[in-house]
Amino acid sequence: MTKIQRKSSGESYLPEKNYHILFERTLLLLFVFLSVNTLKAEKLEYFFDRTIVFDPKIPTPEQFLGYEIGTRITEHHRINAYLEKLAEVSERAKIVEAGRTHEQRAIKILIVSSPANISKLETVRQERQKARTGETVRTPLIVFLGYSVHGNETSGAEASLLSAYYLVAAQNDFVQKQLDGGIYFIDPVRNPDGQERFASWINSNAGVNTVNSSPFDREHNEGWPRGRGNHYWFDLNRDWVNIVHPESQARVALYQDWLPHVQADHHEMGAGSTFFFEPTDPNGNESRFVPQSTYRLNGKFAVNYANALDKIGAFYYTKESYDNKNPNFGSTYPDYNGGVGILFEQGSSRGIQQTTDNGLLTFAYTLRNQLISSLATVDAANENRDALFDLQKEFFTAGLKNGKAFIVGDPHDAGRLNKFVNLLLAHHLDVYENDREVTAGGFRFEKGKSYIIPAGQPNSALVQIIFDDKKDYDDAGKLGYGAGFSVAYSSGLPYAVLTNPAKGARVESPRQSVAAPLQKSNYAYLIDYRDSRSQRLLFRLLEKDILVKSAFQPFSVSTAGGVKDFTYGTLLVPVHNQSVASGELFKLLQELGEQEGVSIDAVSTGYSVRGVDLGSSAFRRINRPNVLLVTGGDISSTEAGEVWHLFDRKLGYPLVRVESGSFGRVPLHEFNRIVLVSGSYSFLTPQALQALRSWISAGGTLVTVNSAGRWALSSLLRSSDEAKSSENSDGARTAFGRRLPTSIFDTRINLKHPLAFGLTSEILPVIKENFPFIPIADDSLNLISRYAETPLLNGYLNPADKKNFSRFTPIKVRSSGAGNIVIFDEDPLFRGIWDATERTFINAILLGDRIGGAQNARGI
């Protein structure tokens, strides 16, 4: 046994013969340390140039997450956690929450710059607003790096981890200079709900000990509804102007707060493709409202991308495809706001790795390309700093002298009008009150119930594309891109063009509807159904089993506010024969009216001044809808999501979503409405088809949308005259199923028909992506709606097809026994923004069993 001698305080106590053991252990620990750090360096060198020096105090994504980047899909919450860690340990970074998703996931943005810039972010933000005045404000460059707006295109989201690490940890002098001269916003996942859904699919289907590269493997083939869309399965890359969803609302607010010079938009495409970056195809893909300087900068940035990708041996292509006109994309919205938007598309491994025609495609490889192009964006922005500032000055001053203006209004539908005005305000557009009576474009615009939007304002480009009426986007016909971009048409509101009009006060804050005080009645209450907010109120009443009737004839009656005229669709709520006492009914109506901003009229008599009395059979009870929506399988998740979103978010009313494979086991008698959207219905057995026919004959209402209507005509109604006419029509034979460039068409709808109740104009713009297929047949005098003689409003239509539109109708009701089939030839809920056609769909749900055959439409 070795004796240990005591020494003075603070000295070591080790036997002399054990020093070599300590030395060997020290060498071993040093070897392990160097091996681990060399391995780490080698992993980083796959993604970064070897000359980049990183701050060892900043954790790499792998150190923080516990696995090598590219070996699994990092969930959104873990991405947020890593960005929060960077902000915690570095003075270069600050984390902000821009908003929340439908599923309440936090939309976290990492802002990276020099500590000096980080300390004065609010001052810079305020200075950025001066750019709208045309003033050249020499703030730091503002660069937005946005990733994965489609949730299953996750190489971008994964690359955002490395982009953030690079900007926070890189110590090279040129990086320090870029941080001094710019502020970089890393938006890691633009669709958190969809990304989490996709991450769960891949991580739960990928092997633990093996990697499966077969494109046929379950890992690479997501189950319905897939991760592309958000919580309601919407495509968020079609929502930048529409701002239907909280994710888009948050990002547009952030964008308008900072007016970035550059926004990168990182996507994925099919596994067989390589890598795309702008310029897009210059033939027909450049907006006439966007300065050419924007597109020239795309070309300059492309040099940086090519050089960076050439350096790592990555293949790519440019100038061949993609649309650069539609303002709803993340890569084009900046073009309409004085910035440079850049689209990136990476061939997707749709998992950890996949065999393709180009060889084995790994997730690590795809995210490296996204990373390299992200860093090249930072380089290119700094190299073109002066040109970017010059572009913003040019953009915000170019349209100031434009004398054109647009007037929009509706004297009866304040809800829809306020919604449209608030959309314009969200994009920081100038809107003014109309303070006089104006007649223009065949419409009368009332003082106080209409607004003026001048094209001559800082963001003239966005105003003009929102009110776009171009009808000769012939390039769209050749290239197959969308061509109808008018959000004004989607509102369905009457609008007209004016020249240098007088304007009232500028609208400074969002419009809100306020209900007039409700007087108590012991007889009945009336609700003007023309206000679109009344729909939600009606569903609230039906859910509480309140008796409500709809007026199928106009009338005038004395109310607490005097004699008023009421039109088709007016809601009648009797006080008697209700399931609640009169006082409780009054309290309920008062509460709902205030919540929805809907004015309700109290009446004390059923005797009309003109038209039908309130006891007339022209008032028909609205039955409570029990709605079933078929989902799953080969059904369109986008269209099914639009229906779900309508009921859940807009109407606040439940519906039942049934997977297609379970439809045959559903007791149909428990429902009185079934909705079918586009997709394949081959899953329906002959027995299931017959059960559906019997359900309709017994009084059910089937509502079909888009291609589901074609299926109904050809399969469900195979023996009907409509089906035969559709099959035999010359126009149908040549155009059946043919797609059109997304365009907007003019239709005329019969305001006396229940499907049109609540609409305030017979002019009903509709969106179309397919050739019409519902033939007019022999009931031309009983049409619900028809295409106008000159049908195209905005977009493209082959001149040879113009005459064929007169043979078809956009909406058809087919009675069968005691029930009805309502057929829409397109999607009336398109992207959640088509408010007027949405009303026809809601009416089909509410009044589908009260249609009782087509109404006389001689006036349309």
Side-chain angles (χ1 to χ4, degrees), residues 11-56:
E11 294 185 18
S12 301
Y13 295 93
L14 277 175
E16 290 185 8
K17 71 176 185 178
N18 286 346
Y19 283 161
H20 72 282
I21 297 176
L22 177 62
F23 180 71
E24 289 174 356
R25 288 177 176 173
T26 301
L27 285 176
L28 178 60
L29 288 171
L30 181 61
F31 174 75
V32 171
F33 175 80
L34 291 174
S35 298
V36 169
N37 281 273
T38 300
L39 180 62
K40 182 180 78 172
E42 288 174 352
K43 291 175 182 175
L44 286 178
E45 284 170 4
Y46 177 72
F47 297 109
F48 297 110
D49 190 284
R50 291 174 182 268
T51 62
I52 303 299
V53 178
F54 292 102
D55 183 348

Side-chain angles (χ1 to χ4, degrees), residues 322-448:
Y322 293 105
D323 180 11
N324 228 343
K325 296 192 298 294
N326 188 336
N328 265 305
F329 301 146
S331 59
T332 54
Y333 184 76
D335 298 346
Y336 289 94
N337 283 276
V340 174
I342 307 161
L343 173 67
F344 301 94
E345 293 275 357
Q346 166 65 52
S348 177
S349 61
R350 278 299 193 276
I352 307 308
Q353 66 180 39
Q354 186 174 160
T355 301
T356 74
D357 289 342
N358 295 318
L360 186 65
L361 183 63
T362 67
F363 187 42
Y365 174 84
T366 65
L367 71 92
R368 181 176 67 163
N369 286 349
Q370 301 275 31
L371 168 67
I372 294 300
S373 56
S374 297
L375 304 187
T377 296
V378 173
D379 294 341
N382 281 275
E383 291 172 15
N384 293 279
R385 171 186 300 270
D386 290 342
L388 289 167
F389 279 100
D390 291 343
L391 169 63
Q392 286 203 332
K393 182 174 183 178
E394 176 189 1
F395 179 88
F396 287 115
T397 58
L400 291 177
K401 295 182 179 179
N402 191 328
K404 181 191 293 187
F406 304 94
I407 184 169
V408 58
D410 193 312
H412 307 293
D413 195 348
R416 185 155 43 121
L417 180 59
N418 289 346
K419 178 185 175 184
F420 180 67
V421 168
N422 291 343
L423 180 146
L424 299 177
L425 295 176
H427 295 290
H428 286 226
L429 299 177
D430 296 342
V431 181
Y432 296 86
E433 301 272 4
N434 173 38
D435 59 4
R436 62 197 65 197
E437 302 295 316
V438 175
T439 299
F443 301 106
R444 186 171 66 88
F445 298 94
E446 294 184 15
K447 174 183 176 180

Side-chain angles (χ1 to χ4, degrees), residues 630-657:
V630 180
T631 64
D634 292 322
I635 304 300
S636 167
S637 60
T638 302
E639 291 183 7
E642 290 165 354
V643 177
W644 179 26
H645 177 262
L646 170 68
F647 277 86
D648 192 43
R649 295 292 292 188
K650 294 185 177 182
L651 300 174
Y653 189 82
L655 84 166
V656 175
R657 295 159 295 155

Side-chain angles (χ1 to χ4, degrees), residues 55-74:
D55 183 348
K57 297 190 296 297
I58 305 299
T60 67
E62 181 179 344
Q63 288 172 328
F64 181 83
L65 296 168
Y67 53 85
E68 185 178 347
I69 294 298
T71 60
R72 63 173 280 129
I73 309 297
T74 303

Side-chain angles (χ1 to χ4, degrees), residues 246-260:
E247 300 93 333
S248 306
Q249 293 161 11
R251 290 199 169 85
V252 166
L254 184 74
Y255 191 102
Q256 294 296 336
D257 264 356
W258 287 91
L259 290 177

